[in-house]
Amino acid sequence: MRLFGRKDADEGAGRQGEAIAGFWTWWQETRPRLDSLVASGETGDLEELLAPAVSAIDPGLVWEVAPGKEALHALVVTAAGDAELRSLAHRWVKGAPPADLLWEFHPSRQANPRAGELSLDVGGLTFGLDKLTLGLRVPRDQARVDVAAYHPIFGELDEDIRLESALLALDWLLGEDEVARWVGEITAVTFEPIDAVAAVHLPAVVADVAGGAGGAGGAGGAGGAGEDEWVLMEGQTGGGAALVATARYPLRPVDHPLCDQHIAITLPYAHRDDNGLPAGDSVTALRDFEERLAARLAKRPDEAVIAVHLSAEGHRVVHVYADPTGDAVTHAEELAAGWDEGKPRVDVAHDPAWTAIAPFLT
């Protein structure tokens, strides 16, 4: 059995941990000054303090101070839709001190119940959500809403600015994580769609879609925990050989934000049919392996999820995504070591966007 990438993944996680710990040490030391600035409304000085502190964790993270849900203020440090950084933002909030009367902390933008009253300056123009309308489409047999966003100022903005403004508005309306869960294709258009509705109706439409899909998402855990189902797919490899894949449904990285470690377990099987797919005793052995892996991972369901398994040309590949601070790699190695139908292989890599299984993402 060979293991690849684990050292690099561990070193990367260690650097992230040090950067996050450094931020929260800085936060405690700087807290009196920050409290004074938000009380006085001196946003320029606040940016001078917070911007470099957040950038020290990762320059791609975005921060903002917003009204809190329970506290007076909320500090949001978000990946802003960048799947590569989502797990980092969630680790940042995991290290936060307890919320108090003044501050609470979030790793993604939260829905604002007064979103319809919000506006901001975009290139010297007023982008108010009261004038934002949306063309909404729910693709057949898909648990998502495609959105075409229109605002009267969009015709005066370039495409990137239009899209950035639309994404921010959707975050205000739904919350950033709910956008990742339920919103599919997003376009920012310069002509109002014929069937457009006021933007404030988006949460109700998404709630209907989520209800039809069996709930509002959330981590389903490992090995069949939660309400997840499995979808069977058939196809061909690049060389034309038969391939069978089984994928968890729904399958969304946002539901497992700390699981940015990809573990690929490759098991050669001895008994196969004419198409190279498992047959006879190998079917039983593969099922037993996955049941034992699922049972181990289910003991700490927030730390790992069995996402996909594929069979082709005499090999089964089981794709697991895990929190690198947990024991999923150890479980995979220990179980693979007992595989007796050929030489198994365990590959480990940092993959926060789940690119290794991109074709199977919901």
Side-chain angles (χ1 to χ4, degrees):
M1 180 172 60
R2 297 155 61 193
L3 179 65
F4 293 86
R6 185 173 184 179
K7 180 179 179 182
D8 292 340
D10 289 345
E11 290 177 352
R15 288 192 295 270
Q16 286 185 357
E18 291 174 3
I20 291 169
F23 176 91
W24 289 118
T25 298
W26 170 87
W27 174 266
Q28 297 292 2
E29 294 171 349
T30 316
R31 170 73 187 268
R33 176 66 172 149
L34 295 168
D35 290 352
S36 174
L37 290 174
V38 294
S40 65
E42 298 177 31
T43 56
D45 290 343
L46 186 67
E47 181 169 356
E48 288 184 8
L49 286 173
L50 274 169
V54 173
S55 182
I57 304 173
D58 191 284
L61 292 173
V62 175
W63 68 272
E64 61 185 49
V65 174
K69 294 181 176 180
E70 303 293 337
L72 187 60
H73 309 292
L75 176 60
V76 179
V77 171
T78 169
D82 186 344
E84 293 284 338
L85 295 176
R86 182 182 289 120
S87 59
L88 180 58
H90 280 263
R91 288 195 173 88
W92 168 82
V93 83
K94 194 175 180 181
D100 55 32
L101 293 176
L102 282 179
W103 290 99
E104 62 190 44
F105 309 96
H106 300 288
S108 59
R109 294 189 180 103
Q110 305 297 294
N112 190 320
R114 301 179 65 181
E117 303 172 20
L118 300 178
S119 64
L120 73 156
D121 182 276
V122 178
L125 303 172
T126 300
F127 176 66
L129 266 67
D130 59 331
K131 292 182 172 61
L132 181 69
T133 59
L134 306 174
L136 304 176
R137 185 174 70 91
V138 180
R140 184 176 181 180
D141 299 325
Q142 295 290 324
R144 74 169 198 245
V145 181
D146 292 338
V147 175
Y150 169 78
H151 194 279
I153 70 169
F154 277 0
E156 303 179 55
L157 303 174
D158 64 38
E159 184 177 359
D160 289 342
I161 299 299
R162 291 200 305 267
L163 184 58
E164 183 179 343
S165 302
L167 289 170
L168 181 59
L170 297 182
D171 288 348
W172 284 344
L173 289 161
L174 286 179
E176 185 179 336
D177 288 348
E178 293 301 278
V179 171
R181 271 187 195 100
W182 301 112
V183 177
E185 182 179 354
I186 302 170
T187 55
V189 297
T190 55
F191 294 93
E192 187 171 27
I194 294 175
D195 56 352
V197 298
V200 293
H201 296 302
L202 178 62
V205 174
V206 168
D208 285 344
V209 172
E227 300 178 356
D228 292 351
E229 299 177 352
W230 291 86
V231 178
L232 177 66
M233 291 168 275
E234 298 181 354
Q236 292 182 329
T237 67
L243 180 150
V244 172
T246 305
R248 186 180 295 275
Y249 183 85
L251 186 58
R252 302 171 292 216
V254 68
D255 292 339
H256 311 274
L258 297 178
C259 294
D260 55 1
Q261 181 184 64
H262 175 227
I263 307 168
I265 309 166
T266 302
L267 305 172
Y269 46 84
H271 306 280
R272 63 184 82 174
D273 62 18
D274 293 340
N275 293 317
L277 300 175
D281 290 343
S282 290
V283 173
T284 303
L286 289 167
R287 183 183 300 117
D288 177 68
F289 177 91
E290 291 178 6
E291 287 177 352
R292 287 185 290 129
L293 178 63
R296 287 200 184 196
L297 299 182
K299 294 176 182 178
R300 304 188 72 173
D302 293 335
E303 291 187 356
V305 56
I306 299 176
V308 178
H309 56 76
L310 302 92
S311 298
E313 301 180 300
H315 291 80
R316 165 74 57 86
V317 182
V318 182
H319 294 274
V320 176
Y321 278 84
D323 184 338
T325 65
D327 299 324
V329 172
T330 300
H331 293 315
E333 291 178 323
E334 290 177 353
L335 290 173
W339 185 254
D340 60 5
E341 294 195 21
K343 187 175 182 180
R345 170 172 165 167
V346 178
D347 296 319
V348 182
H350 182 64
D351 184 15
W354 293 22
T355 55
I357 58 168
F360 303 99
L361 296 182
T362 303

